[in-house]
Amino acid sequence: MRIAILGLGVIGTTYAYAFQKAGHQVKHILRNSRRNNAPKSISVNLLDGRCNSKGESKHDTYEVQVAEAHSEYDFIFLSVRYGFVKEAVKTLQENNIKGTLVFFCNFWNTRKEIQEWAGEYDYILAFPTAGGHMTEDHLDGVLFDHLMLEGEQKAKILNYVNLTTLLTSVDLKWEVPHDMVEWIWIHMAINAGVTSTAARSGKLENPEELALNLMNSSSELSLAIKAIREALKVVEARGVNLKLYKAELLPYKIPAWLAGRAMKVMFAKNEMTRKIMTLHNDKQDIFYCCQSVFQTGQELGIEMPILEANMKGISI
C-alpha cells in the first residue's frame, strides 16, 4: 500500500519503519524548510514486542523517502503534538495530498471539533502503543504488538478493511473500545495522574530521572493511583460512563497501596513498559496532558487535592 507519514516524529517514524520493512511504500510529508535538510536514512534501535512479549532488540536502518505535492495515498498517519492538528491538515490541503487520515494523537477535544479539523478528508481515530526518543538521524523506540482503533461503524470510512489488512501485514493487532474519543480522554487522565505525580517535585527537564524515581517507589505509585482516580472524575464529569471501560480501569479500583506495589513489580519485570516510560521526554506534550485534565477539572468544580498539589510542583 501507499502510506504517508506527516513529519519525522517518533511515533510516525516507528510505524513507518514497520510498514517499510513489510514492503509498503512509505513517504514522509515535510514542510518545505524541512525537505532540504531531512536525513536520507535513520538508524533504528527498537525494542519490538510484536513477536515476543518481552521485546526483541532490533538495530537497523530506515530509509527516508519524501512525499511530493499532488500525490495520493491509501492512508496518511498524523501523529502531531497538541494544537497542531488543524495546521497539519491545512498542510495536506495546500499541497493537494489526498488519502484517508489516521489520527494518532492525544485529543482533549470533542468529536465535533475533530470533524471540523478533518474537513473534507475521510478520517479514523486510532492510538499508538509505541514511543521513544528521536534525534536528527537516530530513533530509539519501543513498539508493542497492538494499537487502539475506532470501530468500523463509528469510523465510517470505506477502506476500513484495507487498514486492518495493513496492520495485519506488520503483525499488529488492534483493540476497539466503546468510543475512541472517550477512550483517549481516559488515557489522558491516566497519564495526567502518573506524570503529574512523577513531576510534582522536579522539573520536566529530566523526564527519564523522574520516571525512574516513580517506577522504583511503591509509595509514589500509590499516590499516582489516587491522582488517577481524581483525573477520572474529570472524565466522568464530561459525560463519560466509566462502567463501559471496566477492563481498562480495573487496576485503579483496587486499594492504592496494593496497586502501587503491583505496579512496582510490573515495571521491574516488564522491560518494554519501563523503557517507554523512560524514553518519553517531550515535556510540552507531558505538560499539555496534565494541564488539560486539571484545568477542565477546575472548570467543572471537581475536587482534586492530589492533582492540585502535583500541578503546583510542576515546572517546565
Side-chain angles (χ1 to χ4, degrees), residues 6 78 84-97 101 117-118 121:
L6 187 72
L78 284 78
F84 289 96
V85 179
K86 187 175 181 179
E87 180 183 326
V89 175
K90 185 178 179 181
T91 298
L92 299 177
Q93 294 169 331
E94 290 175 345
N95 287 277
N96 192 29
I97 296 176
L101 306 184
W117 292 340
Y121 284 93

Side-chain angles (χ1 to χ4, degrees), residues 82 108 188-189 191-193 195-196 204 234 283-299 304 307-308 310-312 314-316:
Y82 72 95
W108 194 247
M188 286 185 64
N191 271 357
T195 56
S196 69
L204 286 176
V234 179
K283 61 183 181 179
Q284 294 294 340
D285 187 56
I286 292 171
F287 187 72
Y288 160 71
C289 181
C290 297
Q291 189 75 354
S292 296
V293 176
F294 180 64
Q295 285 185 344
T296 301
Q298 287 184 312
E299 293 167 3
M304 308 171 290
L307 269 177
E308 184 172 358
N310 286 352
M311 292 300 295
K312 287 180 179 178
I314 295 178
S315 59
I316 59 174

Side-chain angles (χ1 to χ4, degrees), residues 10-27:
V10 172
I11 300 296
T13 305
T14 299
Y15 284 95
Y17 166 76
F19 295 147
Q20 188 181 84
K21 294 297 288 186
H24 299 286
Q25 182 181 349
V26 183
K27 296 196 175 182

Side-chain angles (χ1 to χ4, degrees), residues 26-315:
V26 183
K27 296 196 175 182
H28 292 260
I29 302 166
L30 304 177
R31 300 186 304 271
N32 289 334
S33 59
R34 178 64 167 142
R35 292 171 63 92
N36 296 329
N37 59 6
K40 296 187 181 301
S41 64
I42 294 173
S43 63
V44 176
N45 179 24
L46 185 67
L47 187 58
D48 189 344
R50 287 177 293 169
C51 298
N52 185 333
S53 60
K54 293 184 178 180
E56 177 185 356
S57 291
K58 292 183 177 179
H59 306 279
D60 207 343
T61 300
Y62 171 67
E63 302 298 330
V64 178
Q65 298 184 27
V66 179
E68 300 292 338
H70 310 288
S71 51
E72 187 168 354
Y73 299 90
D74 295 292
F75 297 100
I76 304 171
F77 286 79
L78 284 78
S79 178
V80 296
R81 188 187 292 169
Y82 72 95
F84 289 96
V85 179
K86 187 175 181 179
E87 180 183 326
V89 175
K90 185 178 179 181
T91 298
L92 299 177
Q93 294 169 331
E94 290 175 345
N95 287 277
N96 192 29
I97 296 176
K98 299 179 180 180
T100 299
L101 306 184
V102 181
F103 284 125
F104 250 14
C105 315
N106 277 324
F107 289 116
W108 194 247
N109 306 81
T110 64
R111 187 176 291 274
K112 181 180 178 181
E113 290 172 294
I114 297 168
Q115 289 173 341
E116 291 173 353
W117 292 340
E120 74 275 14
Y121 284 93
D122 291 334
Y123 76 93
I124 183 170
L125 299 181
F127 202 85
T129 50
H133 174 65
M134 192 165 180
T135 57
E136 179 67 20
D137 59 358
H138 179 73
L139 169 65
D140 190 6
V142 179
L143 178 61
F144 287 80
D145 68 347
H146 69 284
L147 51 75
M148 304 302 297
L149 185 66
E150 191 160 41
E152 186 171 7
Q153 295 302 315
K154 288 191 176 181
K156 296 179 181 178
I157 59 173
L158 297 178
N159 53 348
Y160 190 93
V161 173
N162 291 349
L163 179 56
T164 57
T165 299
L166 172 67
L167 299 178
T168 300
S169 74
V170 293
D171 298 313
L172 285 171
K173 308 177 189 70
W174 58 93
E175 297 179 22
V176 177
H178 172 74
D179 182 273
M180 198 66 224
V181 172
E182 292 181 354
W183 185 92
I184 293 174
W185 289 355
I186 290 170
H187 173 80
M188 286 185 64
I190 294 170
N191 271 357
V194 171
T195 56
S196 69
T197 302
R200 67 193 175 95
S201 58
K203 292 184 178 180
L204 286 176
E205 292 295 342
N206 194 345
E208 179 179 356
E209 181 180 341
L210 297 175
L212 286 171
N213 291 340
L214 177 69
M215 291 187 290
N216 292 333
S217 172
S218 58
S219 61
E220 289 294 295
L221 288 168
S222 296
L223 185 65
I225 294 294
K226 295 176 182 178
I228 289 170
R229 290 172 182 170
E230 291 182 355
L232 289 172
K233 289 181 181 178
V234 179
V235 176
E236 189 172 32
R238 297 185 89 184
V240 178
N241 182 359
L242 297 183
K243 292 180 180 179
L244 297 171
Y245 303 90
K246 286 183 179 179
E248 293 94 327
L249 301 180
L250 184 60
Y252 313 110
K253 297 293 185 180
I254 63 178
W257 67 268
L258 183 58
R261 290 184 180 181
M263 288 180 71
K264 182 180 178 181
V265 172
M266 183 272 293
F267 282 127
K269 291 184 176 181
N270 193 318
E271 183 183 355
M272 293 191 63
T273 303
R274 190 175 181 85
K275 184 171 182 179
I276 202 170
M277 285 282 288
T278 56
L279 285 176
H280 187 195
N281 65 353
D282 188 335
K283 61 183 181 179
Q284 294 294 340
D285 187 56
I286 292 171
F287 187 72
Y288 160 71
C289 181
C290 297
Q291 189 75 354
S292 296
V293 176
F294 180 64
Q295 285 185 344
T296 301
Q298 287 184 312
E299 293 167 3
L300 295 174
I302 306 299
E303 292 187 10
M304 308 171 290
I306 297 173
L307 269 177
E308 184 172 358
N310 286 352
M311 292 300 295
K312 287 180 179 178
I314 295 178
S315 59

